[in-house]
Amino acid sequence: MTSNNLLKCLECGTRYDNDFRLSCDNDDSFLRMEYPERINLRQVNGIGKFTDWLPINEVLTTTAGPVTYKSEHLAEELGLTNLYISFSGYWPERDASIKTCSFKELEAHPTMQRLKESGHKAIVLASVGNTARAFAYVSALTGMDVYIVVPEFGLDKLWIPTEVTDSIHLITMNKGNDYTDAINLSQRIADLEGIMPEGGARNVARRDGMATVMLDAAFTINRIPDHYFQAVGSGTGAIAAWEASIRLRNDGRFSDHMPKLQLAQNLPFTPMVNAWNERRREIIPELDMPDAKSSIEKIYADVLSNRTPAYSVTGGLFDCLTESDGIMYAISNSEAKSAQDMFESLEGVDILPPSAVAVASLVKAVEKQNVNRDDVILLNIAGGGEKILKSEFSVSTIKPTASAKDSDIDLDLIMDTGSYRA
Ligand SMILES: *Cc1c(COP(=O)(O)O)cnc(C)c1O
Ligand SMILES: [Zn+2]
């Protein structure tokens, strides 16, 4: 890594070389990259444009990137005059070319590049679907090994828009295990030599990859928006939007006010909404997510089912919500589904369930007058276009290489050793 690419701890201020470092030696805080104050766009398509503010040296060649456009029909329906939509997915009409159909691909490309530039060859992650698809796809493109742990209910989301390669190792967890069980098992696999944990929200390549949503919006609108709407599961995307806004403010060309974070979860599983409504930094499981496993089974947007989000940690979502005086919404399945129908018929593209939750929260915000008619609003449609993609391309289903009964399983039973021991 070049010496001008440094990580800084948000708690104690210690600086570190980038490498693939995920945490501080002194405390539990997030690390954040220090970049040049002003971003100069590279003349490429896709997120490579934003290389100045990504923790990698080589310019990514993927055409995948977020697309920002001004809404006409949804805006009119809601009585808004400055509604902008950030679309991460597949929608050729708008030059949106994320073929795994969610903003998880914005995390996967820079993460795999960061892994490569720091001399590693294999990575492990847990996912309920969209992340797995994104990392599997980038593995197929780059040949770098990924070990993916998924609970059984995520399996139907595991396709990629290309041939499946030997570099993709899929471990499923039997029924009864949820996202957090998958996270626990992936943490044990990460202790094996030669396999790096992908780090979730602690991985600056994931945050800064997702931050390109806000960067692309700022360059399109020519300013930082007044409000940012997104459905949250781990909180990574919203933290990234906040960090991007800080960098844009310091850049100086995009106005100096920060966006209000307006975020949503899907009832009955809303731990961050419950904690935030009491302005509590700690999530108390008995209060904020009683009967977590059965609640998770009931939600429409199952990718929003993280029981250990990046909420309390220094630099996490609680801090971002506090600084932005944010608002959180609890959205029911039926509210999400009707918002989805409305969005699809007005904007003309299919969207994933979590994005339906985001649209429903915007509808609520308008009703509650949490936005004004002429405010500049950014609605993050973080996943969509799957129907369009599947009508144009044939996709390959990823077959499990192993299955685990629980997160305590003997690792020798599920790891094809040799492949990762370089
Ligand atoms: C993962 C995901 C989210 C939630 O993002 P987090 O960063 O986990 O909070 C929202 N929408 C879509 C489409 C997603 O794939
Ligand atoms: Zn520190």
Side-chain angles (χ1 to χ4, degrees):
M1 272 291 134
T2 52
S3 56
N4 58 357
N5 261 350
L6 282 181
L7 285 166
K8 186 179 177 191
C9 174
L10 296 180
E11 183 91 41
C12 70
T14 305
R15 288 192 168 79
Y16 299 97
D17 284 338
N18 181 352
D19 280 326
F20 203 79
R21 180 177 272 276
L22 299 170
S23 53
C24 177
D25 292 339
N26 311 319
D27 53 64
D28 191 43
S29 163
F30 271 9
L31 304 175
R32 191 179 283 167
M33 283 296 287
E34 298 195 304
Y35 294 123
E37 199 162 87
R38 210 164 222 260
I39 183 170
N40 290 310
L41 295 190
R42 307 295 174 97
Q43 297 306 310
V44 293
N45 293 319
I47 56 172
K49 239 186 280 191
F50 306 107
T51 302
D52 282 1
W53 288 359
L54 290 173
I56 54 179
N57 294 321
E58 216 173 285
V59 178
L60 293 167
T61 54
T62 176
T63 57
V67 169
T68 316
Y69 72 93
K70 191 168 187 190
S71 164
E72 288 175 28
H73 303 293
L74 179 64
E76 194 185 334
E77 176 74 23
L78 297 175
L80 299 170
T81 61
N82 284 303
L83 174 61
Y84 289 84
I85 290 174
S86 170
F87 185 85
S88 291
Y90 187 73
W91 194 6
E93 213 180 293
R94 298 230 179 239
D95 286 328
S97 60
I98 298 182
K99 288 190 189 146
T100 57
C101 298
S102 88
F103 74 164
K104 300 300 192 302
E105 215 182 295
L106 306 177
E107 308 179 278
H109 289 285
T111 295
M112 296 300 265
Q113 182 64 28
R114 185 184 184 214
L115 188 76
K116 184 174 147 197
E117 290 181 8
S118 48
H120 302 287
K121 295 192 178 70
I123 198 165
V124 60
L125 59 114
S127 165
V128 275
N130 295 352
T131 307
R133 209 159 62 220
F135 277 82
Y137 182 49
V138 177
S139 168
L141 296 177
T142 61
M144 297 186 62
D145 281 292
V146 290
Y147 289 81
I148 301 168
V149 187
V150 242
E152 203 177 72
F153 66 81
L155 267 184
D156 62 327
K157 299 193 199 74
L158 290 193
W159 50 267
I160 49 172
T162 183
E163 303 271 309
V164 175
T165 52
D166 291 342
S167 57
I168 303 168
H169 312 265
L170 175 62
I171 299 157
T172 58
M173 296 195 72
N174 296 353
K175 214 175 163 68
N177 291 286
D178 70 3
Y179 189 14
T180 305
D181 299 308
I183 291 172
N184 292 339
L185 179 56
S186 73
Q187 281 166 352
R188 292 185 55 225
I189 295 172
D191 287 337
L192 297 172
E193 206 187 317
I195 304 187
M196 295 298 285
E198 96 7 268
R202 294 192 170 277
N203 175 0
V204 290
R206 285 191 71 162
R207 302 212 304 276
D208 296 350
M210 282 184 150
T212 61
V213 165
M214 182 60 82
L215 303 184
D216 191 74
F219 274 95
T220 305
I221 312 170
N222 280 317
R223 54 166 283 191
I224 299 169
D226 299 314
H227 307 276
Y228 174 80
F229 283 82
Q230 193 210 303
V232 289
S234 68
T236 315
I239 297 165
W242 184 252
E243 292 181 318
S245 305
I246 295 173
R247 292 188 176 120
L248 288 163
R249 184 186 57 192
N250 294 340
D251 177 295
R253 290 172 290 173
F254 301 93
S255 77
D256 60 1
H257 73 274
M258 296 288 283
K260 193 177 189 72
L261 298 180
Q262 304 216 32
L263 311 173
Q265 294 200 284
N266 193 178
L267 285 165
F269 185 74
T270 57
M272 291 190 275
V273 184
N274 299 345
W276 177 246
N277 282 346
E278 296 189 355
R279 298 298 185 267
R280 242 192 294 111
R281 178 182 285 276
E282 301 309 322
I283 290 177
I284 304 172
E286 307 81 69
L287 282 180
D288 300 327
M289 45 179 174
D291 309 317
K293 286 200 178 185
S294 75
S295 299
I296 285 170
E297 281 169 17
K298 294 188 188 109
I299 61 177
Y300 176 49
D302 56 19
V303 311
L304 305 179
S305 63
N306 194 316
R307 284 192 276 134
T308 52
Y311 178 79
S312 314
V313 57
T314 301
L317 199 63
F318 178 83
D319 285 335
C320 302
L321 282 164
T322 302
E323 286 171 43
S324 87
D325 192 21
I327 301 175
M328 287 205 76
Y329 301 86
I331 301 298
S332 70
N333 287 352
S334 63
E335 287 168 332
K337 285 174 191 165
S338 52
Q340 182 165 27
D341 290 343
M342 176 174 79
F343 186 94
E344 294 185 356
S345 66
L346 291 170
E347 296 294 319
V349 65
D350 60 288
I351 59 175
L352 298 185
S355 295
V357 170
V359 176
S361 69
L362 177 60
V363 172
K364 267 208 171 151
V366 171
E367 279 165 16
K368 294 186 164 182
Q369 300 184 315
N370 289 339
V371 292
N372 294 316
R373 185 174 168 270
D374 298 324
D375 289 351
V376 176
I377 299 167
L378 181 63
L379 169 61
N380 187 353
I381 298 296
E386 189 175 331
K387 286 185 186 147
I388 304 177
L389 181 104
K390 286 183 172 171
S391 73
E392 290 183 12
F393 293 87
S394 59
V395 301
S396 324
T397 306
I398 308 171
K399 303 256 164 26
T401 43
S403 72
K405 61 178 180 359
D406 56 38
S407 56
D408 296 324
I409 192 162
D410 179 354
L411 295 185
D412 284 341
L413 295 174
I414 55 169
M415 300 299 292
D416 39 355
T417 51
S419 57
Y420 65 91
R421 282 180 193 147

